[in-house]
Amino acid sequence: MLLPAFLRRDFRPGRRVFYGAALAILFVAYSLVLALTGNWPLSRVIANALANVVPIALLGLASRQVIRSMADKPLVTKMVGHLALGLVFTIAWFWLLMVLLGAVAGRNAIEFSVRPFLGPAATWQLFQGLTVYAAITVAVHAEMLAERSPIPAPEREGGSASSQPPRLFVKHEEELRPLDTDRIILIRGADDYSEIVTPTGTHLVRISLASLDERLGERFLRVHRSCLVNVDRISRVEPEGGGRMLVHMDSGEMIRTSRAGSRLLRDRVI
């Protein structure tokens, strides 16, 4: 029996569908709790659930970028950073929640009063904020771990894995043309888009860097969370300090690696 198309989606951390499903589950959970504990009509239950989830989505998106930027920092710096960011996240979520709940209970979106929770109720809400921040931190680190540990290509019929990466197609005017992967120098990524750099120019494709990392195989090395390089196109590598390296491509491009990228480079190239 074939699964519905939605259930066949890639739910790994980092995908939009992963975070969308997480927010949907959170919304359903809040709705059930509010429906069981409050004597409100369905519209009020949904509005209160959204008041809880919307700030989490907005603050989680901003926190994700900061958490990723701290990935290569020293341990002490990361600990202090997470403590500070967790505190800011919790207070900001509590404040936004109080404002939105006031708007839901008010006469309209303009005329309403904010009455913050006090005592045990406030303690419980702040605890929820810290818990949500911890969950976001775990999800983001799982996302980065998945990016650094690509899934190996599936084996072909006969038992041996393919040594050749699949063909890539890029858009040229109104056509799709095949791109020889040997010509790729490096690939830069930004969310769901990637910029493929070749000797004759660049191509913007709507494929995430993580997906290209999986598809292109061992010839391409992820030296930074936002950059893949063709190992065959590396002309030389030199130390950069702080556990990082400077990769010189044969096109003249220079890429500074992350610490994790340097370790991969030492293991697979040097």
Side-chain angles (χ1 to χ4, degrees), residues 13 36 59 68 136 171 183 188 212 233 258:
L36 293 174
L59 294 170
R68 290 183 68 97
I136 292 172
K171 190 172 183 180
R183 300 182 63 247
R188 297 187 181 93
L212 288 174
R233 291 280 190 167
S258 63

Side-chain angles (χ1 to χ4, degrees), residues 8-267:
R8 296 198 301 269
R9 300 285 297 275
D10 189 348
F11 283 92
R12 280 174 297 158
R15 308 286 182 169
R16 291 182 179 179
V17 67
F18 170 83
Y19 291 112
L23 290 172
I25 292 171
L26 201 58
F27 170 75
V28 171
Y30 271 115
S31 298
L32 289 175
V33 171
L34 292 170
L36 293 174
T37 59
N39 188 21
W40 294 312
L42 180 60
S43 59
R44 180 70 179 275
V45 168
I46 292 174
N48 283 354
L50 287 174
N52 280 271
V53 175
V54 169
I56 291 175
L58 297 176
L59 294 170
L61 182 62
S63 298
R64 174 178 175 268
Q65 302 304 320
V66 180
I67 293 170
R68 290 183 68 97
S69 70
M70 293 192 296
D72 294 325
K73 302 295 183 183
L75 178 59
V76 175
T77 303
K78 285 196 288 189
M79 291 177 62
V80 174
H82 281 300
L83 286 173
L85 185 58
L87 182 61
V88 171
F89 180 96
T90 301
I91 294 174
W93 176 67
F94 183 81
W95 181 82
L96 285 172
L97 174 61
M98 296 301 101
V99 171
L100 290 177
L101 289 178
V104 169
R107 298 174 63 181
N108 52 57
I110 298 175
E111 296 178 294
F112 62 89
S113 60
V114 177
R115 296 184 177 88
F117 294 151
L118 300 174
T123 302
W124 172 245
Q125 291 296 330
L126 293 172
F127 175 75
Q128 283 188 61
L130 285 173
T131 303
V132 169
Y133 175 77
I136 292 172
T137 301
V138 171
V140 174
H141 279 83
E143 170 186 336
M144 293 187 291
L145 182 61
E147 291 173 354
R148 294 169 181 174
S149 305
I151 299 174
E155 293 188 353
R156 290 182 181 273
E157 186 178 358
S160 61
S162 172
S163 60
Q164 295 296 326
R167 300 183 78 187
L168 294 179
F169 290 84
V170 296
K171 190 172 183 180
H172 179 75
E173 295 179 352
E174 298 301 321
E175 300 176 338
L176 290 177
R177 296 185 180 181
L179 175 63
D180 185 355
T181 54
D182 291 335
R183 300 182 63 247
I184 298 176
I185 298 169
L186 58 92
I187 306 173
R188 297 187 181 93
D191 295 327
D192 291 336
Y193 289 86
S194 296
E195 184 183 62
I196 300 176
V197 179
T198 68
T200 56
T202 61
H203 306 276
L204 186 66
V205 295
R206 192 169 184 176
I207 308 175
S208 70
L209 196 66
S211 296
L212 288 174
D213 193 7
E214 295 170 11
R215 294 171 59 182
L216 292 174
E218 295 183 355
R219 290 175 56 202
F220 288 81
L221 186 67
R222 191 156 190 169
V223 298
H224 192 273
R225 70 171 184 269
S226 60
C227 187
L228 276 172
V229 298
N230 187 342
V231 174
D232 296 334
R233 291 280 190 167
I234 296 176
S235 60
R236 62 189 178 91
V237 179
E238 61 180 291
E240 177 73 355
R244 295 177 172 84
M245 291 184 171
L246 188 63
V247 180
H248 296 260
M249 310 303 294
D250 59 13
S251 62
E253 297 263 3
M254 292 186 295
I255 308 298
R256 287 179 172 81
T257 70
S258 63
R259 290 189 180 90
S262 295
R263 288 194 293 269
L264 288 176
L265 199 56
R266 292 189 184 97
D267 292 341

